[in-house]
């Protein structure tokens, strides 16, 4: 097996450690590749969502694989990679349960406004005799999942014990799914109290949740997003929250990460996490293992373990 494995900058230690132990020859790609580096590169490792453009792919003439550390590969020009015979791999399934856990945690935290009521206690207002504001119940609510794929279905399974109703929208109905199907994001939003986004990011879902969908969710509605920040029109979300046209939002992803708009940071009924859906020791180890397996397979002429197409 020959060739250089280029690494996107900033990959986590949980991935770098097994990569270093794999015996592969590694180099971080900082800016455009130097001529020698470009000639030698047979693999490129990136985060889910980080860019691998057609121009970059074209600048690496011996590239065989782009290995994405994550399930979402919206930053990669997959069509161009395929046309150049470059395999794109991701890390599906191994992170599904963790991301669904976070979605459930955000849902419960947002409905019960835990940061707000905890602040009420910590700031001494409870001790001073002031009652905490009322929040919203989580049981027996109408839940909607936007994107009933691997993660969406795992979220729906976690919602079942809450005893409410569950509905969903994907571009087509999922055979055998025991939930009501709606044929648009807007009609789903109209029918539910809590809308949970679990679609991929990228151009096909860009601002799928816009001002109209948020208006359909209504002033008692809650939005949860563990997918990609770009799926939501962030400006419309901020306007809806600050004008009390939405009860609250639980967000793990943002339009321009790691920047989070001040209006969201300041909002008492926003629960915010720094894109940590898959960030547990166990899942990050499984994701890293899959990245290394895909690299070793493709670089030794074997089929990829988890190609995206
Ligand atoms: P998946 O199995 O491919 O599920 C995606 C679902 O979205 C499918 O049901 C798909 O159904 C639906 N969908 C796609 N395009 C749509 C559109 N335009 N409108 C409505 N529905 C659409 O993927 P997954 O493994 O569940 O992962 C989902 C996403 O979660 C990833 O792509 C990633 O962006 C995000 N994620 C976030 C984190 C985090 O840390 N927060 C971690 C992992 C993943 P149809 O094709 O039938 O429409």
């Amino acid at each position: 097996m020959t060739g250089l494995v280029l690494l996107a900058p900033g990959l986590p230690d949980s991935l770098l450690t097994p990569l270093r132990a794999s015996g592969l020859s590694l180099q971080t790609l900082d800016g455009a590749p130097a001529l020698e580096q470009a000639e030698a590169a047979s693999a490129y490792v990136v985060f889910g969502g980080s860019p691998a453009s057609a121009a970059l792919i074209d600048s690496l003439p011996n590239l065989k694989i782009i290995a994405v550390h994550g399930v979402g590969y919206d930053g990669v020009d997959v069509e161009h990679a395929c046309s150049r015979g470059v395999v794109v791999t991701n890390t599906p399934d191994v992170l599904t349960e963790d991301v669904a856990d976070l979605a459930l945690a955000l849902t419960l935290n947002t409905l019960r406004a835990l940061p707000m009521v905890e602040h009420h206690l910590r700031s001494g207002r409870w001790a001073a005799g002031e009652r905490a504001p009322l929040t919203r119940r989580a049981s027996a609510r109408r839940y909607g999942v936007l994107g009933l794929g691997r993660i969406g279905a795992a979220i729906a399974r976690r919602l079942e014990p809450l005893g409410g109703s569950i509905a969903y929208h994907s571009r087509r109905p999922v055979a055998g799914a025991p939930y009501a199907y709606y044929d648009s994001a807007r009609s789903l939003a109209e029918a539910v109290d809590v809308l949970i986004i679990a679609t991929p990011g990228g151009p096909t879902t860009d601002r799928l949740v816009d001002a109209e969908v948020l208006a359909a969710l209504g002033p008692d509605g809650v939005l949860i997003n563990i997918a990609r920040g770009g799926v939501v029109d962030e400006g419309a979300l901020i306007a809806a929250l600050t004008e009390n046209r939405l009860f609250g939002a639980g967000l793990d992803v943002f339009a321009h990460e790691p920047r989070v708009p001040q209006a969201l940071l300041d909002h008492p009924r926003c629960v915010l996490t720094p894109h940590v859906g898959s960030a547990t020791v166990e899942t990050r180890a499984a994701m890293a293992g899959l990245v290394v397996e895909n690299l070793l397979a493709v670089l030794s002429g074997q089929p990829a373990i988890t190609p995206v197409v």
Side-chain angles (χ1 to χ4, degrees):
M1 193 189 313
T2 55
L4 179 65
V5 177
L6 293 180
L7 308 176
L11 294 175
D13 286 342
S14 59
L15 175 59
L16 292 175
T17 305
L19 276 173
R20 288 185 188 119
S22 69
L24 292 163
S25 164
L26 310 172
Q27 238 173 58
T28 298
L29 180 62
D30 218 353
L35 197 59
E36 211 175 295
Q37 200 180 30
E39 284 288 332
S42 54
Y44 184 38
V45 182
V46 296
F47 273 121
S50 58
S53 64
L56 178 73
I57 293 167
D58 283 342
S59 72
L60 306 172
N62 298 307
L63 191 65
K64 292 192 174 72
I65 172 172
I66 298 171
V68 179
H69 179 258
V71 68
Y73 47 88
D74 38 299
V76 180
D77 191 331
V78 175
E79 204 177 316
H80 192 72
C82 288
S83 75
R84 282 267 327 275
V86 175
V87 179
V88 180
T89 63
N90 65 347
T91 62
D93 299 314
V94 294
L95 45 63
T96 295
E97 303 304 324
D98 273 3
V99 184
D101 283 347
L102 186 74
L104 180 65
L106 286 174
T107 301
L108 297 176
N109 272 282
T110 308
L111 284 164
R112 298 304 302 266
L114 282 199
M116 180 176 80
V117 295
E118 195 201 33
H119 183 256
H120 185 87
L121 180 153
R122 285 182 189 274
S123 65
R125 284 155 72 182
W126 187 42
E130 194 183 327
R131 285 186 198 284
L134 298 185
T135 61
R136 294 279 164 174
R137 79 186 315 181
S139 58
R141 300 308 296 261
R142 300 172 302 163
Y143 289 99
V145 178
L146 184 54
L148 195 73
R150 288 170 292 239
I151 294 171
I155 294 169
R157 284 196 297 277
R158 280 159 175 73
L159 296 172
E160 285 177 14
L162 294 177
S165 63
I166 301 170
Y168 74 101
H169 165 66
S170 294
R171 286 168 298 182
R172 58 197 75 81
V174 176
Y179 314 118
Y181 176 73
Y182 286 82
D183 65 3
S184 69
R186 192 207 151 125
S187 60
L188 176 66
E190 240 159 27
V192 301
D193 305 307
V194 181
L195 183 66
I196 306 175
I197 309 172
T199 63
T204 59
T205 55
D206 185 42
R207 279 167 282 179
L208 180 62
V209 175
D210 57 9
E212 213 179 295
V213 173
L214 294 169
L217 198 51
D220 294 333
V222 160
L223 183 75
I224 305 295
N225 189 7
I226 53 78
R228 286 285 185 263
V231 184
V232 177
D233 180 336
E234 211 166 64
L237 174 63
I238 290 168
L241 284 165
T242 52
E243 292 160 21
N244 290 320
R245 291 186 278 107
L246 196 67
F247 176 76
L251 309 170
D252 185 47
V253 287
F254 304 89
H256 306 288
E257 296 176 6
R259 200 163 54 75
V260 178
Q262 195 61 41
L264 295 178
L265 294 171
D266 290 344
H267 197 281
R269 289 187 308 278
C270 277
V271 182
L272 309 172
T273 50
H275 202 147
V276 290
S278 66
T280 66
V281 171
E282 296 82 359
T283 288
R284 285 294 167 86
M287 289 165 67
L290 201 44
V291 169
V292 173
E293 279 181 54
N294 274 304
L295 288 171
L296 293 175
V298 172
L299 295 180
S300 60
Q302 304 298 313
I305 317 293
T306 49
V308 305
V309 282

